[in-house]
C-alpha cells in the first residue's frame, strides 16, 4: 500500500527484542542525522582519507584523466563488481528478520533444542520469493512463492526451505534443470519474464504427468497472493525427528499466517503489476514500519513409519500431500517478523539457504527430490557468493559459533591461530574435537535392492491427489482454476501442447477438462493418456481450500477513501475511524495530493494521488464526493477505473449521494457489497471479505 499512513494496529504491539535488535528498520536513517554534525572522514578501501569525491584527477583543467587516480579506479572497480549472479530460481525475494518462539515441546520426538525448549526465542531470517522472475521482476505474477526460514539455533543453523504450496512439480531432482529451463524465459527470445504462460513450460508439463497435482495448486488462487503476510508455507518433504533413544518419527512442517490466507483475483494481480512492481515488498516494508509485525504459527504433522505404510500414497513422493484430515496439524510455536534488514544486498541478497542445514535431532527422509536438493544449494552458493567461506558473511554466520580445521580459501575473514589444522592430534589439547552430543544420522536400515535409475512403483499415481485437490475446492475456486488454465494455455502457441494438457486434465476431472477445452475451442476432447495406475477418488480435503477458509478481518488490510474538493469531512472521518479500529491502514486518495477544502470549508489531507493509486492497492474502498465532485470525477477515466475495478475485483464499496454519478459512470450495480457511506457498520462488515456472490455478474462464466 504505497504511502499509507503509519497507524496504530489493534494487534499486540511488541517492541522488537534486543535479540533481533534495534528499531524495525534497523539503523536505516541514522546516517542522515550525521550530516552537518561530527562525521567520519570518507576513505578509500585502504583507509586513506579522501579530499575530493566529486572530481577525478585531471592533467589540466580540460585535459585527460590520469591513470594514477587510485581513488577513481578503486571506486569504479568496486562499482563494476557490485552485482553477484542472481539466483537461477527465486531471484526476486523479500527478507525480514524475526524470532521463533516454541510453545509446545516436541521432546518425545526430537532432541533438537529448537523444538524442545519452550518459550525460548530463536532468531530467524525469512526470505519470501517468487520462483520464475529475475531479481528486478514484478511481485505479483502468477507464481509459487518460496518460503525460506533460517533459524539461528544454539546448535547451529537450521534452514527450512519451503514453498507456499505443499507439493512440487517433479519427483526426482535430476529433472529440476529441465523444469527450470522450461519455466524461465525462452532461451532464444528471452521472454516471457516471470510467467509460466508460454509454450516451453506447458510443453514440459504435458510430458510430465507427475506435475499434475502441483499444476492444480499453481492454477489456484494460492499463486496470486494479496500479501506475503497472507500466505502459508510448507516444508514440502517429509523429514525425520530423532529422539533421545534414536527413534525416528516423520514430520511435515506447515506455516500458518496469523492474518489468514488471502489472494487477489487475476485481473487485480495483473493491474497491480502495472501500478506497483514492488507491491509485495512495499507491503511488507510498510507493515514492519507500522509495527504490524506479520506472524505465522508453525505446525507439524507427525507420523510413524508404520502409519505411513498404511497411506494410500507414498509420502516420500514430493508430489503428494498428507491430508490434514488424515494426520491433523499440531501448532508448536510462532514466528514473528519484526525487523527490516539494514542492507538489502548484505542480507537478503547474500543469504544462503540450504535444505542440508539441519541440527541434531532432525534428519532427512529418502525423498529423491530432497536428496538432490541437499547437493544443489551448497553448490549454487559457490558461484553466487564466490567461494567456500560464504558462511562467514554475517547473515549466514551461525550464532552457535564455528570451530573446525577448515582453512584458507577465497575471502577468508578469520585469522585461525596455532600450528594444528588437523584432527586427530595431540599437539594442541584445546583444539576442537568430536562430541557425543554431535549430529548423528538416523540409523535407518537400508533396504535391500539393486542399484539402478529406478522410480518406485509407489510413485506411479499422478492424478488421484490432483483430482482430490480440484474436487475439494469451492465452486468459485474451481471457476478460477478453469480460467487460469484457459489463460495460461491460451498463451501457448503450439496447438498440440494445449491439447496434450487438456488430455491430462481429463484424468483429473472431466468437467474441468470440458470447461478448459471450451475456453480454448478444443473440440472434440482429446483422448486422455492412460494413467499408469487407476485414478482413485480420494475423500475431499477442505483444508486445501483458500476462499472458504479466509478470515473475515480488516487486520493488516488496507482501505482507500476517494475524495475531491467539497467532500464531507464528517463522513470521511467516520469511515477512517471505523476502518482503523478494525485494524486497516487507511489512505485518502484525491485528484491532487495534499490539502483540499471540504464541504464544511475545513481542510482534508489527501495521502495519495488518484492517477498513481488505483483501487487495486486497497481491500475495500469508500467514495465520498460532493454533487459537483461526483459529476467532475464521472468524466475522469482514472476515477471510473478506481470504482469499476473495485467492483469487478469484488470489493466492498461505500458511497455517499454525491458519488452516485461516478458509480453510475463506472457501471456499479447495487448489491450487498455496495453500501451507504453513512452506514459504517455495514461497510466494515462487507470490507472484511470479498463479494463472491458478485463474481458471476462481472466475469464470464467458465
Ligand atoms: Fe530450490 C532456491 C524452494 C526444489 C535448487 N529453492 C530455492 C529457494 C526456495 C526453494 C524457497 C530460495 C531460497 C532463498 O530465498 O534464497 N526448491 C524449493 C522447494 C523445492 C525446491 C520447496 C521442492 C520441494 N530446488 C529444488 C530442487 C533443486 C533446487 C529439486 C535442485 C536439484 N533452489 C535450488 C537452487 C537455489 C534454490 C538452484 C537457487 C538459489 C539458491 O538455491 O540459493 O540451488
Amino acid at each position: 500500500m504505497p504511502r499509507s499512513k503509519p497507524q496504530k494496529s489493534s494487534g499486540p504491539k511488541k517492541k522488537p527484542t534486543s535479540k533481533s535488535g534495534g528499531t524495525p528498520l534497523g539503523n536505516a536513517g541514522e546516517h542522515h542525522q550525521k550530516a552537518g554534525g561530527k562525521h567520519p572522514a570518507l576513505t578509500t578501501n585502504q583507509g586513506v582519507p579522501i579530499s575530493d569525491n566529486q572530481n577525478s584527477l585531471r592533467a589540466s583543467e580540460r585535459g585527460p584523466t590520469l591513470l594514477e587516480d587510485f581513488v577513481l579506479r578503486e571506486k569504479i572497480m568496486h562499482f563494476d563488481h557490485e552485482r553477484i549472479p542472481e539466483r537461477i530460481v527465486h531471484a526476486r525475494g523479500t527478507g525480514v528478520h524475526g524470532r521463533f518462539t516454541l510453545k509446545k515441546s516436541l521432546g518425545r520426538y526430537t532432541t533438537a533444542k529448537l523444538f524442545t525448549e519452550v518459550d525460548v526465542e530463536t532468531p530467524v531470517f525469512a526470505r519470501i520469493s517468487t520462483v520464475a522472475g529475475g531479481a528486478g521482476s514484478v511481485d505479483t505474477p502468477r507464481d509459487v512463492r518460496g518460503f525460506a526460514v533460517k533459524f539461528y539455533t544454539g546448535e547451529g543453523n537450521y534452514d527450512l526451505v519451503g514453498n507456499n504450496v505443499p507439493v512440487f512439480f517433479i519427483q526426482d531432482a535430476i529433472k529440476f534443470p529441465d523444469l527450470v529451463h522450461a519455466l524461465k524465459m525462452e532461451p532464444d527470445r528471452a521472454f516471457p519474464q516471470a510467467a509460466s504462460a508460454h509454450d516451453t513450460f506447458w510443453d514440459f508439463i504435458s510430458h510430465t504427468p507427475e506435475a499434475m497435482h502441483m499444476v492444480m495448486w499453481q492454477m489456484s488462487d494460492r499463486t496470486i497472493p494479496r500479501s506475503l503476510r497472507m500466505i502459508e508455507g510448507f516444508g514440502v518433504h517429509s523429514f525425520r525427528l530423532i529422539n533421545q533413544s534414536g527413534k525416528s518419527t516423520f514430520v511435515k512442517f506447515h506455516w500458518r499466517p496469523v492474518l489468514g490466507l488471502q489472494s487477489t483475483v487475476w485481473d487485480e494481480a495483473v493491474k497491480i503489476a502495472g501500478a506497483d512492481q514492488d507491491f509485495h515488498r512495499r507491503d511488507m516494508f510498510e507493515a514492519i514500519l507500522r509495527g504490524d509485525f506479520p506472524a505465522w504459527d508453525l505446525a507439524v504433522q507427525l507420523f510413524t513409519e508404520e502409519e505411513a505404510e498404511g497411506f494410500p500414497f507414498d509420502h516420500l513422493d514430493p508430489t503428494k500431500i498428507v491430508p490434514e484430515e488424515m494426520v491433523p496439524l499440531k501448532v508448536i510455536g510462532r514466528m514473528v517478523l519484526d525487523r527490516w534488514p539494514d542492507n538489502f544486498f548484505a542480507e537478503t541478497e547474500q543469504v544462503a539457504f540450504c535444505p542440508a542445514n539441519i541440527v541434531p535431532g532432525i534428519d532427512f527422509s529418502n525423498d529423491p527430490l530432497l536428496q538432490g536438493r541437499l547437493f544443489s544449494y551448497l553448490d549454487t552458493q559457490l558461484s553466487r557468493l564466490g567461494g567456500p567461506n560464504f558462511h562467514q558473511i554475517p547473515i549466514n554466520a551461525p550464532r552457535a559459533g564455528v570451530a573446525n580445521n577448515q582453512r584458507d580459501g577465497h575471502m577468508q575473514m578469520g585469522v585461525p591461530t596455532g600450528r594444528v589444522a588437523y584432527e586427530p592430534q595431540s599437539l594442541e589439547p584445546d583444539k576442537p574435537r568430536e562430541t557425543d552430543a554431535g549430529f548423528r544420522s538416523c540409523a535407518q536400515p537400508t533396504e535391500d535392492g539393486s542399484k539402478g535409475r529406478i522410480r518406485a512403483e509407489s510413485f506411479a499415481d499422478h492424478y488421484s491427489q490432483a483430482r482430490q485437490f480440484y474436487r475439494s475446492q469451492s465452486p468459485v475456486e474451481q471457476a478460477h482454476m478453469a480460467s487460469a488454465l484457459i489463460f495460461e494455455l491460451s498463451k501457448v502457441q503450439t496447438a498440440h501442447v494445449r491439447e496434450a494438457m487438456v488430455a491430462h486434465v481429463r484424468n483429473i476431472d472431466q468437467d474441468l477438462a470440458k470447461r478448459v477445452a471450451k475456453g480454448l475451442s478444443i473440440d472434440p476432447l482429446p483422448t486422455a493418456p492412460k494413467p499408469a495406475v487407476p485414478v482413485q477418488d480420494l475423500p475431499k480435503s477442505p483444508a486445501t481450500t483458500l476462499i472458504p477458509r479466509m478470515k473475515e478481518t480488516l487486520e493488516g488490510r488496507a482501505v482507500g477513501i476517494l475524495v475531491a474538493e467539497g467532500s464531507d469531512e464528517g463522513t470521511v472521518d467516520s469511515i477512517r475511524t471505523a476502518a482503523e479500529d478494525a485494524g486497516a491502514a487507511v489512505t485518502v486518495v484525491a485528484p491532487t495530493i495534499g490539502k483540499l477544502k471540504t464541504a464544511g470549508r475545513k481542510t482534508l489531507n489527501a495521502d495519495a494521488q488518484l492517477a498513481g493509486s488505483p483501487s487495486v492497492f486497497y481491500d475495500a474502498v469508500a467514495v465520498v464526493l460532493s454533487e459537483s465532485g461526483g459529476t467532475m470525477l464521472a468524466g475522469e477515466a482514472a476515477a471510473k477505473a478506481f470504482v469499476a475495478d473495485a467492483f469487478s475485483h469484488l470489493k466492498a464499496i461505500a458511497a455517499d449521494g454525491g458519488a452516485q454519478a461516478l458509480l453510475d459512470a463506472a457501471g456499479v450495480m447495487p448489491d450487498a457489497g455496495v453500501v451507504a457511506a453513512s452506514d459504517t457498520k455495514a461497510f466494515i462488515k462487507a470490507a472484511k471479505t470479498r463479494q463472491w456472490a458478485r463474481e458471476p455478474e462481472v466475469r464470464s462464466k467458465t
Side-chain angles (χ1 to χ4, degrees), residues 304-634:
T304 62
E305 192 102 46
E306 296 70 46
E307 284 165 333
E309 271 159 24
F311 295 164
F313 51 81
D314 192 335
H315 74 106
L316 297 181
D317 170 357
T319 69
K320 303 293 183 291
I321 58 165
V322 176
E324 275 179 53
E325 291 79 4
M326 257 170 85
V327 180
L329 263 59
K330 283 190 213 318
V331 172
I332 57 164
R334 181 168 282 193
M335 171 174 76
V336 178
L337 301 183
D338 60 6
R339 186 167 64 87
W340 192 258
D342 286 326
N343 183 279
F344 181 85
F345 179 85
E347 299 173 272
T348 309
E349 195 58 14
Q350 292 200 114
V351 64
F353 291 96
C354 179
N357 290 349
I358 54 171
V359 290
I362 304 178
D363 207 350
F364 313 117
S365 70
N366 288 344
D367 176 337
L369 191 75
L370 172 62
Q371 294 282 325
R373 294 180 73 194
L374 302 180
F375 160 72
S376 182
Y377 290 67
L378 198 57
D379 188 47
T380 250
Q381 311 311 344
L382 287 181
S383 62
R384 287 201 61 238
L385 300 168
N389 290 314
F390 63 85
H391 59 281
Q392 297 178 359
I393 298 172
I395 193 69
N396 296 322
R399 315 270 165 99
V402 174
N404 60 39
N405 297 307
Q406 294 175 25
R407 292 287 182 274
D408 311 340
H410 273 293
M411 298 295 153
Q412 173 59 256
M413 301 293 154
V415 185
T417 52
R419 65 197 283 219
V420 166
Y422 56 88
E423 206 264 343
Q425 53 93 10
S426 59
L427 302 189
E428 292 185 4
D430 293 343
K431 279 278 157 76
R433 290 176 195 248
E434 296 159 354
T435 157
D436 278 345
F439 179 84
R440 281 175 206 277
S441 295
C442 170
Q444 192 62 24
T446 49
E447 289 167 22
D448 284 343
S450 327
K451 182 160 103 180
R453 297 189 178 275
I454 309 162
R455 187 97 59 100
E457 284 294 325
S458 54
F459 279 35
D461 182 356
H462 302 321
Y463 299 104
S464 300
Q465 284 206 351
R467 175 181 290 177
Q468 178 186 40
F469 179 80
Y470 178 71
R471 295 196 178 159
S472 301
Q473 305 306 298
S474 64
V476 172
E477 291 169 305
Q478 290 182 340
H480 290 181
M481 291 171 71
S483 303
L485 272 166
I486 293 167
F487 168 81
E488 294 270 321
L489 295 175
S490 72
K491 297 280 182 185
V492 172
Q493 291 167 337
T494 317
H496 76 251
V497 173
R498 295 198 292 265
E499 281 161 19
M501 274 314 303
V502 173
H504 279 296
V505 176
R506 290 191 72 182
N507 282 337
I508 298 171
D509 186 89
Q510 194 68 8
D511 178 52
L512 177 63
K514 282 189 194 150
R515 289 161 98 163
V516 177
K518 187 161 171 264
L520 296 169
S521 306
I522 294 177
D523 187 28
L525 281 180
T527 311
K530 192 174 178 317
V533 293
V535 186
Q536 309 171 62
D537 284 317
L538 299 169
K540 285 187 183 171
S541 173
T544 59
T545 62
L546 192 161
I547 291 174
R549 294 167 57 231
M550 255 173 74
K551 255 189 186 174
E552 294 215 351
T553 180
L554 268 177
E555 287 281 341
R557 271 65 172 182
V559 169
I561 310 180
L562 178 60
V563 301
E565 290 283 334
S567 291
D568 183 70
E569 72 266 21
T571 311
V572 173
D573 280 350
S574 58
I575 293 173
R576 186 208 303 268
T577 308
E580 285 182 353
D581 286 350
V586 175
T587 304
V588 174
V589 182
T592 50
I593 195 168
K595 292 191 173 52
L596 23 105
K597 283 266 170 298
T598 64
R601 309 217 57 77
K602 293 205 173 119
T603 45
L604 176 68
N605 197 49
D607 311 301
Q609 199 238 339
L610 177 58
S613 307
S615 62
V616 291
F617 291 172
Y618 313 108
D619 295 281
V621 300
V623 191
V624 182
L625 296 170
S626 64
E627 292 290 333
S628 64
T631 314
M632 191 253 301
L633 288 188

Side-chain angles (χ1 to χ4, degrees), residues 87 90 127 162-163 168 176 237 353 373 376-377 380-381:
R87 292 164 174 83
H90 299 267
R127 184 175 179 276
N163 278 340
F168 203 65
F176 190 70
H237 315 281
F353 291 96
R373 294 180 73 194
S376 182
Y377 290 67
T380 250
Q381 311 311 344

